[in-house]
Amino acid sequence: MRKATIKDVAKHAGVSTATVSYVLNGVEGKVSQETVEKIYKAIKELNYIQNFSAVSLVKKKSRLLGVIIPQTEDCKQLLLENPFYSEMISGIELKAREMGYHIILSGVDKGQSYLDVSVQRDLDGAIIMGIYQERFYEELKNVKIPIVLVDSYIHDKYFYKVGIDDEFGGYLATRHLIRNGHKKIALVTGSIRKDGVVEKRFLGYKKALREAGLFYNPDDVFENSVTYQHGLKIGRFLSETPRNITAVFATADLIALGVIRGMIETGKRVPEDYSVIGFDDIPISRIFIPSLTTIKQDIGDKGAKAAALLIQAIEEKTLSEPTREVLLTLDVIERQTVKNISIKD
Amino acid sequence: MRKATIKDVAKHAGVSTATVSYVLNGVEGKVSQETVEKIYKAIKELNYIQNFSAVSLVKKKSRLLGVIIPQTEDCKQLLLENPFYSEMISGIELKAREMGYHIILSGVDKGQSYLDVSVQRDLDGAIIMGIYQERFYEELKNVKIPIVLVDSYIHDKYFYKVGIDDEFGGYLATRHLIRNGHKKIALVTGSIRKDGVVEKRFLGYKKALREAGLFYNPDDVFENSVTYQHGLKIGRFLSETPRNITAVFATADLIALGVIRGMIETGKRVPEDYSVIGFDDIPISRIFIPSLTTIKQDIGDKGAKAAALLIQAIEEKTLSEPTREVLLTLDVIERQTVKNISIKD
């Protein structure tokens, strides 16, 4: 069967193609109700499916959202191994689908601009995960579409933002260890960059130490990458190098799982010898043995909120003052990797 | 700065917009080489970015690939918790990007047709993961674009296919347990449907038993869903219900991890009391303690191969007989969850 065209619909309804086009593009005010009904009947009878490419040229609405995931050499690994991204994308896709949008998922190669993709595809908006160089954000602004940054501390009113209070999260994690009697707490973390998520969690760690009157020792901070491998290396190191540390705050669950495995491989037990707390609550954390005590952020919900905020911005459905930033709540999830050492056994 | 239009390019190059359009759409044969060069120069100087929506109407090429992931009530969970999908999507996206395509990622709601999405978006082709009802495939064929099915045993020459030999994989896993001295092997699995991936793995299990002269007992098959929870339940059950089983073949790593946790929670040890082998080699399998012995399929490569096959079909770059099906290799990865019980200790 040949695909029905707009001309077929017009002929079937006995009107001009321009009239059909008005109706399809929502400018029905110019057309009588009777005619509108005739056109809808024809559309139904001919099983006519609107071509979004054509519509987007007229309406300047593609109903397409861009979603960028970090994909540099380092970060390709991240997407593959860090369930964080897949869970977020799942949340974005579901919300977008509910609201009649599709998502184009893409990485950005090093040095490549996203400008091309946005313009080529007539994106209505974009959600950006990951941290990029300043130039990248400046270019994004040139596209003049609403953009939601996930987990970004960029100070620029142009962007919408969805995230968590990472400093508070770092504080919660460290305080949980302190409340369980730990006084010498190592921080195992990805690289601490100014205004990055990791820096905020690090500040929370220092804040909790300070509040408890504990000494902050830079030698207890093990900074490298947000990977299982980094955790593994430091877990082995801590286990084999006595320095009276009793607990570890890992700024991501993946790192925490590496730390635990590194310790167990070198003959130590978690939580009997070392307590470990993570951050994120990725699904593996429940499955892992021992299951991981961690700071839970609802990752799927974060994706859904990012999509909802973006679509709201696109459709300008804000009632009064538009929401520019959404912060999600955080909780300590107690599982099996933190031991209370103030109770002597 | 105002965005350059095709008219600006034409004016700058001193030619008609029709001529620019010819060149942009690859019908350069009608235009002199000198003019082509003038147009490319103008495009570069004006930083003109082609609008794909406009081009797709003319060229019937959108350079967009659809990627469908299962997203029914049950399977939404799958995407979130099963790293299998995210790893595959990462492989697809990278290959597509390398070849100048973008991907639209979407779920398909129960009872919804993919026809609408494909036509609306002028998709050049699509990759389908998961198993759907027959009607779904019949509808797909109506779209008349190349389609690659991942892990499908549908017998229809219309579709391109990328997968593994699941029966051989099931055979490999079971044979590995038998070679380690196990004679009473339980199968813990998702639902066994005709021509599904799981049925093939089940057939491989039976084949290995038969080959070794072992008795196949339907009571040793625990069939439910491809979830961690199902594994957990059966792990507990096996551990608490003595029935001289010594090993488990779980038809997915997620199930295997559940089985192990279920056994450990109820006081048993893996592999000392029970050996367990999985299937897939998802990244958690390496991280898990004990790390999982499993059948490895290269999931990222599977995604890349699916994208390459689809793009080849779209661009009809086949040399002679077109490749319709790609099978990836399988290997046993020995880690910590299978014990050789034929050596008495």
Side-chain angles (χ1 to χ4, degrees):
Chain A
M1 195 185 70
R2 188 177 67 89
K3 253 167 32 188
T5 66
I6 190 168
K7 279 185 193 169
D8 299 328
V9 173
K11 201 173 161 194
H12 199 84
V15 300
S16 72
T17 52
T19 307
V20 178
S21 176
Y22 281 142
V23 171
L24 288 177
N25 292 299
V27 279
E28 299 179 8
K30 301 187 178 186
V31 184
S32 77
Q33 190 53 36
E34 192 191 353
T35 307
V36 170
E37 276 162 22
K38 262 197 281 182
I39 290 168
Y40 278 125
K41 194 160 162 274
I43 286 172
K44 214 176 153 190
E45 284 172 10
L46 296 175
N47 195 22
Y48 170 72
I49 299 161
Q50 221 177 338
N51 180 311
F52 274 14
S53 294
V55 174
S56 81
L57 288 176
V58 181
K59 283 182 80 175
K60 302 284 175 208
K61 283 268 178 277
S62 61
R63 300 193 83 80
L64 261 185
L65 311 179
V67 177
I68 301 188
I69 41 176
Q71 191 91 14
T72 54
E73 280 297 297
D74 265 344
C75 297
K76 176 167 172 281
Q77 195 68 9
L78 261 189
L79 175 68
L80 285 174
E81 298 228 335
N82 199 334
F84 186 84
Y85 288 110
S86 50
E87 202 168 338
M88 188 130 55
I89 288 163
S90 184
I92 293 172
E93 195 277 328
L94 190 62
K95 176 57 74 179
R97 180 146 37 99
E98 281 171 11
M99 302 187 73
Y101 287 75
H102 290 130
I103 65 171
I104 286 197
L105 184 68
S106 71
V108 175
D109 286 320
K110 247 179 189 157
Q112 194 206 332
S113 159
Y114 195 57
L115 194 67
D116 296 9
V117 179
S118 334
V119 176
Q120 282 168 350
R121 296 293 181 197
D122 266 338
L123 298 181
D124 283 348
I127 296 171
I128 316 285
M129 296 181 227
I131 295 175
Y132 304 84
Q133 290 180 326
E134 208 172 308
R135 202 167 52 91
F136 178 80
Y137 297 97
E138 288 307 314
E139 284 179 353
L140 277 179
K141 287 164 70 174
N142 287 333
V143 190
K144 308 219 182 307
I145 53 173
I147 289 178
V148 174
L149 306 178
V150 176
D151 292 326
S152 167
Y153 286 91
I154 297 242
H155 302 286
D156 186 324
K157 288 207 177 297
Y158 180 86
F159 299 108
Y160 296 81
K161 294 198 281 191
V162 170
I164 54 172
D165 184 339
D166 289 282
E167 180 171 341
F168 181 63
Y171 168 81
L172 273 184
T174 312
R175 193 185 64 178
H176 183 72
L177 294 172
I178 294 169
R179 287 188 172 173
N180 278 280
H182 298 277
K183 292 186 162 57
K184 187 78 173 156
I185 300 166
L187 182 77
V188 188
T189 180
S191 78
I192 299 170
R193 288 181 222 159
K194 193 176 167 345
D195 274 343
V197 161
V198 169
E199 190 210 20
K200 303 295 176 193
R201 296 181 189 176
F202 168 61
L203 293 175
Y205 162 78
K206 289 209 287 189
K207 188 182 167 189
L209 292 181
R210 196 168 53 242
E211 192 184 88
L214 296 172
F215 179 64
Y216 161 66
N217 182 354
D219 291 346
D220 295 343
V221 175
F222 301 89
E223 178 190 353
N224 193 306
S225 59
V226 185
T227 57
Y228 171 75
Q229 283 72 21
H230 172 50
L232 192 64
K233 199 178 135 196
I234 302 306
R236 288 176 186 148
F237 173 80
L238 289 175
S239 168
E240 290 170 339
T241 319
R243 44 186 297 171
N244 67 12
I245 277 168
T246 61
V248 170
F249 165 34
T251 59
D253 284 354
L254 261 193
I255 299 177
L257 301 179
V259 166
I260 295 170
R261 178 146 198 145
M263 287 171 165
I264 289 177
E265 278 181 8
T266 47
K268 296 293 190 297
R269 292 162 305 159
V270 174
E272 292 81 353
D273 299 316
Y274 290 98
S275 288
V276 178
I277 190 166
F279 201 114
D280 287 338
D281 197 27
I282 56 178
I284 317 176
S285 303
R286 285 188 287 279
I287 295 176
F288 199 72
I289 304 171
S291 57
L292 185 67
T293 296
T294 190
I295 302 298
K296 179 188 176 66
Q297 53 167 322
D298 190 335
I299 305 168
D301 188 43
K302 203 186 221 177
K305 289 238 162 57
L309 185 61
L310 182 60
I311 291 168
Q312 177 205 278
I314 290 166
E315 300 183 351
E316 293 160 319
K317 276 188 183 159
T318 46
L319 292 174
S320 51
E321 189 69 4
T323 311
R324 306 294 303 199
E325 189 164 1
V326 174
L327 277 185
L328 284 90
T329 54
L330 293 171
D331 291 298
V332 177
I333 303 294
E334 294 190 55
R335 296 204 183 96
Q336 301 176 323
T337 56
V338 172
K339 186 189 164 193
N340 192 327
I341 59 167
S342 46
I343 308 154
K344 296 283 169 214
D345 49 13
Chain B
M1 196 184 73
R2 188 177 67 90
K3 254 167 34 186
T5 65
I6 190 167
K7 279 186 191 166
D8 298 328
V9 173
K11 201 173 160 195
H12 199 82
V15 300
S16 71
T17 52
T19 308
V20 177
S21 176
Y22 282 141
V23 172
L24 287 177
N25 292 299
V27 280
E28 299 179 7
K30 302 189 179 183
V31 183
S32 78
Q33 189 54 35
E34 193 192 350
T35 307
V36 170
E37 276 163 22
K38 261 196 282 185
I39 289 169
Y40 278 125
K41 195 161 161 274
I43 285 171
K44 214 176 152 189
E45 284 171 10
L46 296 176
N47 196 21
Y48 171 72
I49 298 161
Q50 223 178 337
N51 180 310
F52 275 14
S53 294
V55 174
S56 81
L57 288 177
V58 181
K59 282 182 82 176
K60 302 283 177 211
K61 282 269 177 278
S62 62
R63 299 194 82 81
L64 260 186
L65 311 178
V67 176
I68 301 189
I69 41 177
Q71 192 91 13
T72 54
E73 280 296 297
D74 266 344
C75 297
K76 177 167 170 281
Q77 195 68 8
L78 261 190
L79 175 69
L80 286 175
E81 296 228 335
N82 199 336
F84 186 85
Y85 288 110
S86 50
E87 203 168 337
M88 187 128 58
I89 287 162
S90 184
I92 293 171
E93 195 277 327
L94 190 62
K95 174 59 75 181
R97 181 147 37 100
E98 280 171 12
M99 302 188 73
Y101 286 75
H102 289 131
I103 65 172
I104 287 198
L105 184 68
S106 70
V108 175
D109 286 319
K110 246 177 191 161
Q112 194 205 335
S113 159
Y114 195 56
L115 194 67
D116 296 8
V117 179
S118 333
V119 176
Q120 282 167 351
R121 295 294 181 195
D122 265 339
L123 298 181
D124 284 347
I127 296 171
I128 317 285
M129 296 181 226
I131 295 175
Y132 304 84
Q133 291 180 325
E134 207 172 308
R135 202 169 51 92
F136 178 80
Y137 297 97
E138 289 306 315
E139 283 179 353
L140 277 178
K141 286 163 72 173
N142 287 333
V143 190
K144 308 218 183 309
I145 53 173
I147 288 178
V148 174
L149 306 179
V150 175
D151 292 326
S152 166
Y153 286 91
I154 296 240
H155 303 286
D156 187 325
K157 288 207 178 297
Y158 181 85
F159 299 108
Y160 296 80
K161 293 197 280 191
V162 170
I164 54 172
D165 184 340
D166 288 281
E167 179 170 343
F168 181 64
Y171 168 80
L172 273 183
T174 312
R175 194 184 64 177
H176 183 74
L177 294 172
I178 294 169
R179 286 186 173 175
N180 279 280
H182 298 278
K183 292 187 162 58
K184 188 79 175 156
I185 300 166
L187 182 77
V188 187
T189 180
S191 78
I192 299 172
R193 289 181 222 158
K194 192 173 167 346
D195 275 343
V197 161
V198 168
E199 189 209 21
K200 303 295 175 190
R201 295 181 190 176
F202 167 61
L203 293 175
Y205 161 79
K206 289 209 288 188
K207 188 182 167 190
L209 291 181
R210 197 167 54 240
E211 192 185 87
L214 296 172
F215 179 63
Y216 161 66
N217 182 352
D219 290 346
D220 294 342
V221 175
F222 300 89
E223 178 190 352
N224 192 307
S225 59
V226 185
T227 57
Y228 171 76
Q229 283 71 20
H230 172 49
L232 192 65
K233 198 178 136 196
I234 302 305
R236 287 177 187 147
F237 173 79
L238 289 175
S239 167
E240 289 171 338
T241 319
R243 45 186 298 172
N244 67 10
I245 278 168
T246 61
V248 170
F249 166 34
T251 59
D253 283 356
L254 262 193
I255 300 177
L257 301 180
V259 167
I260 295 170
R261 178 148 198 143
M263 287 171 164
I264 290 178
E265 277 180 9
T266 47
K268 295 295 190 297
R269 291 161 306 158
V270 174
E272 292 81 354
D273 299 317
Y274 290 99
S275 287
V276 177
I277 189 166
F279 202 113
D280 287 337
D281 197 28
I282 57 177
I284 317 176
S285 303
R286 286 188 288 280
I287 295 176
F288 200 72
I289 304 171
S291 57
L292 185 68
T293 296
T294 189
I295 302 297
K296 179 189 175 64
Q297 53 167 321
D298 191 333
I299 305 167
D301 188 44
K302 202 186 221 178
K305 289 234 162 59
L309 185 62
L310 181 60
I311 292 169
Q312 177 204 279
I314 290 166
E315 300 183 351
E316 295 161 315
K317 275 187 185 161
T318 46
L319 293 173
S320 51
E321 190 67 6
T323 312
R324 306 293 305 197
E325 188 164 2
V326 174
L327 277 185
L328 284 90
T329 55
L330 294 171
D331 291 298
V332 177
I333 303 294
E334 294 189 56
R335 294 203 184 96
Q336 303 176 322
T337 55
V338 173
K339 186 189 164 194
N340 192 327
I341 59 167
S342 47
I343 309 154
K344 296 282 169 217
D345 48 13

mmCIF file of all heavy atoms in Angstrom, chain B residues 202-217:
data_model
loop_
_atom_site.group_PDB
_atom_site.id
_atom_site.type_symbol
_atom_site.label_atom_id
_atom_site.label_comp_id
_atom_site.label_asym_id
_atom_site.label_seq_id
_atom_site.Cartn_x
_atom_site.Cartn_y
_atom_site.Cartn_z
ATOM 1 N N PHE B 202 18.526 -23.516 26.768
ATOM 2 C CA PHE B 202 17.938 -24.692 27.415
ATOM 3 C C PHE B 202 18.236 -25.945 26.576
ATOM 4 O O PHE B 202 18.623 -26.995 27.113
ATOM 5 C CB PHE B 202 16.425 -24.443 27.564
ATOM 6 C CG PHE B 202 15.614 -25.645 27.933
ATOM 7 C CD1 PHE B 202 15.831 -26.328 29.123
ATOM 8 C CD2 PHE B 202 14.596 -26.085 27.081
ATOM 9 C CE1 PHE B 202 15.054 -27.432 29.454
ATOM 10 C CE2 PHE B 202 13.826 -27.186 27.408
ATOM 11 C CZ PHE B 202 14.049 -27.863 28.592
ATOM 12 N N LEU B 203 18.098 -25.845 25.259
ATOM 13 C CA LEU B 203 18.398 -26.982 24.381
ATOM 14 C C LEU B 203 19.874 -27.370 24.482
ATOM 15 O O LEU B 203 20.217 -28.555 24.460
ATOM 16 C CB LEU B 203 18.032 -26.648 22.927
ATOM 17 C CG LEU B 203 16.531 -26.479 22.638
ATOM 18 C CD1 LEU B 203 16.292 -26.023 21.195
ATOM 19 C CD2 LEU B 203 15.770 -27.784 22.929
ATOM 20 N N GLY B 204 20.747 -26.350 24.609
ATOM 21 C CA GLY B 204 22.180 -26.621 24.762
ATOM 22 C C GLY B 204 22.475 -27.358 26.064
ATOM 23 O O GLY B 204 23.323 -28.253 26.114
ATOM 24 N N TYR B 205 21.758 -26.975 27.110
ATOM 25 C CA TYR B 205 21.874 -27.639 28.421
ATOM 26 C C TYR B 205 21.498 -29.113 28.297
ATOM 27 O O TYR B 205 22.243 -30.004 28.721
ATOM 28 C CB TYR B 205 20.956 -26.885 29.403
ATOM 29 C CG TYR B 205 20.542 -27.583 30.672
ATOM 30 C CD1 TYR B 205 21.416 -27.663 31.759
ATOM 31 C CD2 TYR B 205 19.250 -28.109 30.811
ATOM 32 C CE1 TYR B 205 21.012 -28.259 32.953
ATOM 33 C CE2 TYR B 205 18.836 -28.711 31.994
ATOM 34 C CZ TYR B 205 19.719 -28.786 33.061
ATOM 35 O OH TYR B 205 19.311 -29.369 34.238
ATOM 36 N N LYS B 206 20.366 -29.370 27.650
ATOM 37 C CA LYS B 206 19.922 -30.748 27.488
ATOM 38 C C LYS B 206 20.892 -31.547 26.623
ATOM 39 O O LYS B 206 21.176 -32.712 26.894
ATOM 40 C CB LYS B 206 18.515 -30.775 26.869
ATOM 41 C CG LYS B 206 17.442 -30.307 27.840
ATOM 42 C CD LYS B 206 16.085 -30.940 27.575
ATOM 43 C CE LYS B 206 15.455 -30.390 26.320
ATOM 44 N NZ LYS B 206 14.052 -30.867 26.165
ATOM 45 N N LYS B 207 21.438 -30.907 25.597
ATOM 46 C CA LYS B 207 22.358 -31.577 24.683
ATOM 47 C C LYS B 207 23.625 -32.032 25.424
ATOM 48 O O LYS B 207 24.092 -33.166 25.253
ATOM 49 C CB LYS B 207 22.737 -30.628 23.552
ATOM 50 C CG LYS B 207 23.528 -31.291 22.438
ATOM 51 C CD LYS B 207 23.907 -30.281 21.369
ATOM 52 C CE LYS B 207 24.946 -30.896 20.443
ATOM 53 N NZ LYS B 207 25.524 -29.908 19.537
ATOM 54 N N ALA B 208 24.147 -31.130 26.274
ATOM 55 C CA ALA B 208 25.372 -31.470 27.014
ATOM 56 C C ALA B 208 25.120 -32.613 27.993
ATOM 57 O O ALA B 208 25.952 -33.509 28.160
ATOM 58 C CB ALA B 208 25.903 -30.241 27.750
ATOM 59 N N LEU B 209 23.945 -32.591 28.650
ATOM 60 C CA LEU B 209 23.596 -33.676 29.574
ATOM 61 C C LEU B 209 23.539 -35.000 28.815
ATOM 62 O O LEU B 209 24.121 -36.004 29.224
ATOM 63 C CB LEU B 209 22.229 -33.406 30.234
ATOM 64 C CG LEU B 209 22.116 -32.245 31.231
ATOM 65 C CD1 LEU B 209 20.683 -32.174 31.774
ATOM 66 C CD2 LEU B 209 23.104 -32.398 32.387
ATOM 67 N N ARG B 210 22.814 -34.988 27.695
ATOM 68 C CA ARG B 210 22.626 -36.192 26.884
ATOM 69 C C ARG B 210 23.978 -36.742 26.433
ATOM 70 O O ARG B 210 24.253 -37.928 26.552
ATOM 71 C CB ARG B 210 21.765 -35.827 25.670
ATOM 72 C CG ARG B 210 21.146 -37.008 24.956
ATOM 73 C CD ARG B 210 20.054 -36.546 23.978
ATOM 74 N NE ARG B 210 20.551 -35.541 23.041
ATOM 75 C CZ ARG B 210 20.065 -34.292 22.928
ATOM 76 N NH1 ARG B 210 19.084 -33.884 23.699
ATOM 77 N NH2 ARG B 210 20.559 -33.462 22.042
ATOM 78 N N GLU B 211 24.819 -35.836 25.931
ATOM 79 C CA GLU B 211 26.137 -36.230 25.435
ATOM 80 C C GLU B 211 26.963 -36.916 26.526
ATOM 81 O O GLU B 211 27.755 -37.814 26.250
ATOM 82 C CB GLU B 211 26.862 -34.972 24.938
ATOM 83 C CG GLU B 211 28.120 -35.229 24.141
ATOM 84 C CD GLU B 211 28.822 -33.922 23.805
ATOM 85 O OE1 GLU B 211 29.631 -33.445 24.640
ATOM 86 O OE2 GLU B 211 28.560 -33.372 22.729
ATOM 87 N N ALA B 212 26.772 -36.467 27.782
ATOM 88 C CA ALA B 212 27.543 -37.028 28.899
ATOM 89 C C ALA B 212 26.834 -38.218 29.531
ATOM 90 O O ALA B 212 27.276 -38.758 30.549
ATOM 91 C CB ALA B 212 27.789 -35.947 29.950
ATOM 92 N N GLY B 213 25.704 -38.611 28.936
ATOM 93 C CA GLY B 213 24.950 -39.740 29.477
ATOM 94 C C GLY B 213 24.276 -39.433 30.807
ATOM 95 O O GLY B 213 24.016 -40.327 31.609
ATOM 96 N N LEU B 214 23.983 -38.137 31.038
ATOM 97 C CA LEU B 214 23.332 -37.761 32.292
ATOM 98 C C LEU B 214 21.823 -37.642 32.082
ATOM 99 O O LEU B 214 21.353 -37.307 30.992
ATOM 100 C CB LEU B 214 23.893 -36.425 32.809
ATOM 101 C CG LEU B 214 25.381 -36.434 33.191
ATOM 102 C CD1 LEU B 214 25.856 -35.025 33.502
ATOM 103 C CD2 LEU B 214 25.609 -37.364 34.396
ATOM 104 N N PHE B 215 21.093 -37.890 33.146
ATOM 105 C CA PHE B 215 19.640 -37.897 33.095
ATOM 106 C C PHE B 215 19.104 -36.460 33.144
ATOM 107 O O PHE B 215 19.505 -35.657 33.985
ATOM 108 C CB PHE B 215 19.131 -38.704 34.296
ATOM 109 C CG PHE B 215 17.647 -38.788 34.398
ATOM 110 C CD1 PHE B 215 16.884 -39.416 33.399
ATOM 111 C CD2 PHE B 215 16.995 -38.250 35.500
ATOM 112 C CE1 PHE B 215 15.502 -39.490 33.506
ATOM 113 C CE2 PHE B 215 15.608 -38.321 35.610
ATOM 114 C CZ PHE B 215 14.862 -38.948 34.605
ATOM 115 N N TYR B 216 18.208 -36.122 32.214
ATOM 116 C CA TYR B 216 17.567 -34.799 32.252
ATOM 117 C C TYR B 216 16.300 -34.889 33.082
ATOM 118 O O TYR B 216 15.383 -35.637 32.756
ATOM 119 C CB TYR B 216 17.240 -34.313 30.831
ATOM 120 C CG TYR B 216 16.206 -33.211 30.821
ATOM 121 C CD1 TYR B 216 16.479 -31.959 31.385
ATOM 122 C CD2 TYR B 216 14.938 -33.420 30.279
ATOM 123 C CE1 TYR B 216 15.527 -30.957 31.415
ATOM 124 C CE2 TYR B 216 13.976 -32.417 30.300
ATOM 125 C CZ TYR B 216 14.269 -31.198 30.868
ATOM 126 O OH TYR B 216 13.329 -30.214 30.901
ATOM 127 N N ASN B 217 16.259 -34.091 34.152
ATOM 128 C CA ASN B 217 15.097 -34.106 35.040
ATOM 129 C C ASN B 217 14.399 -32.745 35.003
ATOM 130 O O ASN B 217 14.973 -31.747 35.450
ATOM 131 C CB ASN B 217 15.572 -34.414 36.469
ATOM 132 C CG ASN B 217 14.411 -34.492 37.451
ATOM 133 O OD1 ASN B 217 13.265 -34.176 37.108
ATOM 134 N ND2 ASN B 217 14.708 -34.923 38.666
#
